Amino acid sequence: MSRPPKGRASTGQKIEQALEKALDPLATALKRATASAPARAAPGKPGLEVSPLAVPFPTIPPIGGVEIATARAGFYKHERDDLVVFRFARGTTCAGVFTRHKIGSAPVDWCKRHLDAPDGGNDVRGLVINAGCANAFTGKAGADAARRTASETAKRFGCRQRDVMLASTGVIGVVLDDRKITARLNDLEVALDGDMHPTDQWTRAGLGIMTTDTFPKGSYAECKIDGHTVRIAGIAKGSGMIAPDMATMLGFIVTDAAIAPPVLRALLGLHVRTTFNSVTVDGDTSTNDTCLLFATGSSGAPRIGRVGDRRLKEFSAALDRVMLDLAHQLVRDGEGATKFVRVTVDGAASPASARKLAKSIADSPLVKTALAGEDANWGRVVMAVGKTEEPVDRDRLAIRFGPHVAAIEGAPSPHYDEAKMSAYMKNAEIDITVDVGSGRASATVWTCDLTKRYVEINGDYRS
């Protein structure tokens, strides 16, 4: 068969080339659509990439009685805001829950002392948060730095120093250089009086409190109290050193409802158990755990002064949604995480037993590394259940990964399908359900996988 002269195309080749040229834009678009998105650099610590489980920051409308400003105080070497200040209207109430760690930080000690005092939490006017220095295990020098920070802020806000709450996060064992904070108070006051949109204020605050976090964490909800619309917004930070013990994190929630401090304390205590106390990244508890709830009273809703007030029902549910949303985001931003995992234990002898069993599974390095490898190694789940010494009926034990049964009645499932199980384990969100056959109680704990990246992040945490 004769061929066209060199350098000349046949009619068929010309048609083929024309088709390729016509289809090229479509092929390029398809290639872009099917290619995995490149990793985005995190806005916090250099060298980190945004978690693949990240969720967008919500839109937050104005909440009466609160202004927020951020600044760079210089606790970090690189360029970023690391100082956040909230200013509250007169009469704002506050309650907090804190770490049970035996070596609490200076700001934790400060907040607990003043909120637990007679009439504590009845007129809180400010909140100062710094990232980059935990001011924990710093003795009298750290306590003095905390006091000076509150005192200087109180002068600006025209209140008592006891009415300024404090929170810190970062490296343990370094005394807070409070001069870096006071040097920025003038700029912060100007920013507080500015007209920045509330969503931008909250977003910048979420960014400003980050350490190894890879995205800012925020949540918002609305509800009714006696016919009045009430708003609730919050931010949190946490990525590593996360384990249920109040909450290994910082969390700040503001509502425009009018609620007395004892009621706020009761609400926090009620919901923290199933939200911030039910997440774990690595099983380690921090020195600085703090969750503060502020109520500015600016919504026009009637003041709630009794814990059993029925008008709190809708508010309580909305607060729980905000807290659980923030808690989930902590897990989604677990250091090096690629899987968001829900562990549910059913059939336990008591709620406390169910929580202990679920936590044992969620904290197990062997379970978490299997999840990272997308391996449904249910034998490791059996190990994590049995080592707790909680009541377990071995012959009734059942384990599921999502809808797929791995074990039933104390033995491997006769219908176990390795191909289906392997396909399920590739999902970004995994459900593990275990029935221990000892009762009727249940509990859920949220966790993430444990990857090589976790070791890398924590290997150079102070650098």
Side-chain angles (χ1 to χ4, degrees), residues 97-236:
V97 286
F98 304 92
T99 185
R100 294 192 293 265
H101 198 283
K102 300 302 182 184
I103 307 174
S105 67
V108 165
D109 292 345
W110 176 270
C111 292
K112 289 174 67 175
R113 181 166 70 253
H114 294 300
L115 289 178
D116 290 344
D119 204 38
N122 262 310
D123 189 15
V124 172
R125 300 293 308 286
L127 167 65
V128 180
I129 315 154
N130 75 274
C133 175
N135 199 16
F137 199 57
T138 50
K140 185 178 183 301
D144 288 343
R147 176 186 53 76
R148 288 192 298 267
T149 299
S151 178
E152 290 300 316
T153 305
K155 292 175 184 177
R156 305 276 179 165
F157 291 176
C159 64
R160 301 167 297 179
Q161 63 181 29
R162 61 171 287 179
D163 297 326
V164 176
M165 297 293 105
L166 305 173
S168 299
T169 182
V171 176
I172 295 170
V174 178
V175 177
L176 180 73
D177 185 353
D178 55 286
R179 294 170 300 179
K180 293 182 176 181
I181 295 176
T182 55
R184 300 311 307 272
L185 288 179
N186 279 335
D187 295 338
L188 287 164
E189 275 195 292
V190 172
L192 286 168
D193 293 329
D195 57 358
M196 184 181 295
H197 190 277
T199 296
D200 294 333
Q201 290 185 27
W202 284 95
T203 302
R204 288 171 67 103
L207 289 165
I209 64 176
M210 288 168 42
T211 51
T212 56
D213 303 64
T214 69
F215 65 92
K217 301 162 185 65
S219 188
Y220 174 77
E222 290 183 0
C223 63
K224 298 282 187 180
I225 292 182
D226 202 27
H228 295 264
T229 298
V230 167
R231 293 170 170 175
I232 308 171
I235 56 172

Side-chain angles (χ1 to χ4, degrees), residues 225 263 302-314:
I225 292 182
V263 182
R303 181 179 173 88
I304 305 295
R306 186 171 59 86
V307 173
D309 196 314
R310 293 183 179 179
R311 292 173 295 180
L312 274 176
K313 183 177 180 180
E314 192 176 335

Side-chain angles (χ1 to χ4, degrees), residues 224-262:
K224 298 282 187 180
I225 292 182
D226 202 27
H228 295 264
T229 298
V230 167
R231 293 170 170 175
I232 308 171
I235 56 172
K237 65 79 52 185
S239 186
M241 206 184 286
I242 302 289
D245 185 12
M246 192 302 285
T248 310
M249 47 64 118
L250 299 182
F252 309 103
I253 303 167
V254 181
T255 177
D256 56 7
I259 303 176

Side-chain angles (χ1 to χ4, degrees), residues 352-415:
S353 179
R355 284 173 54 79
K356 188 173 181 179
L357 287 160
K359 185 176 182 295
S360 179
I361 298 167
D363 273 340
S364 167
L366 288 176
V367 172
K368 291 160 71 70
T369 50
L371 290 165
E374 300 181 340
D375 177 15
N377 192 334
W378 55 269
R380 294 183 178 181
V381 176
V382 172
M383 174 278 299
V385 166
K387 73 177 184 178
T388 64
E389 300 183 358
E390 292 297 310
V392 174
D393 187 336
R394 183 188 62 185
D395 295 331
R396 297 179 63 188
L397 188 68
I399 301 171
R400 295 199 316 271
F401 287 77
H404 307 293
V405 180
I408 190 168
E409 295 181 350
S413 169
H415 306 294

